[in-house]
Amino acid sequence: TLTARVTLTAATIDGLADMARSPDIERVTEGLATAPVQVICFGGTSASFLHGPGWDRSLRDRMATAAHGIPVTTTSHASVRALRAFDVQRIVFVGPYLDEVTEQGRRFFESSGFKVLNAVGLGLDHDRTISRVPPEEVYHLARRSDHPVAEAIFISCTALLAVMPA
């Protein structure tokens, strides 16, 4: 597994848009494409869902050009594909985000064909704060946000520690 980082100043609408528009997307993708990798994934869920499926597609198109034939994806696109693979139609969306970012997540998944029954965020706006949320808090957020007819709870954000360390 190889990683590279694209700068995120704040997990706000403006900060996430700046991240997704950054020429670092192409630079990092091109750098990763020089390694023997089978796929390149942009791991910024909120930055990729920020302005809907077209925004995500544009991000993937930019990456594809820089990847020189290596398949690319984003966490938002991969998540939609995974939910569809399990024939999920009704979801709950939870994440660490500010309300306005959480709402953008809701809109992305609704525009992608899902019924979003609930969308709840923790109100956080910085990667370092998000990455310090204990897994137990993520678990409790998901439990209290669940909906009786939801088929899945989508826990958003690649900076969020959602699995207990062994």
Side-chain angles (χ1 to χ4, degrees):
T1 302
L2 299 174
T3 62
R5 185 155 173 88
V6 176
T7 301
L8 173 63
T9 56
T12 61
I13 298 288
D14 290 340
L16 293 164
D18 289 346
M19 178 189 202
R21 288 185 190 118
S22 171
D24 286 347
I25 299 292
E26 287 86 354
R27 180 186 58 77
V28 166
T29 301
E30 193 164 17
L32 289 170
T34 66
V37 298
Q38 295 179 346
V39 68
I40 298 171
C41 179
F42 176 72
T45 314
S46 53
S48 59
F49 71 52
L50 191 61
H51 294 300
W55 174 268
D56 179 69
R57 189 175 320 105
S58 174
L59 183 58
R60 286 184 283 120
D61 288 347
R62 290 173 47 214
M63 291 173 62
T65 299
H68 305 293
I70 296 171
V72 300
T73 193
T74 64
T75 48
S76 293
H77 182 250
S79 298
V80 165
R81 291 190 61 182
L83 290 166
R84 285 185 181 146
F86 285 98
D87 200 28
V88 170
Q89 297 174 10
R90 296 180 307 273
I91 68 169
V92 168
F93 177 94
V94 299
Y97 313 120
L98 298 171
D99 289 345
E100 57 267 25
V101 176
T102 300
E103 183 57 28
Q104 293 303 102
R106 173 196 292 275
R107 289 180 186 162
F108 173 85
F109 280 95
E110 287 176 345
S111 295
S112 298
F114 299 94
K115 173 88 173 153
V116 180
L117 303 168
N118 198 9
V120 181
L122 293 173
L124 305 177
D125 66 355
H126 197 276
D127 258 357
R128 289 181 191 236
T129 308
I130 291 168
S131 65
R132 291 186 184 122
V133 174
E136 299 85 2
E137 188 172 339
V138 177
Y139 170 80
H140 291 295
L141 172 67
R143 291 288 301 209
R144 74 176 173 265
S145 303
D146 197 6
H147 188 281
V149 298
E151 298 165 307
I153 299 173
F154 178 72
I155 301 172
S156 185
C157 192
T158 55
L160 194 61
L161 182 60
V163 178
M164 300 284 261

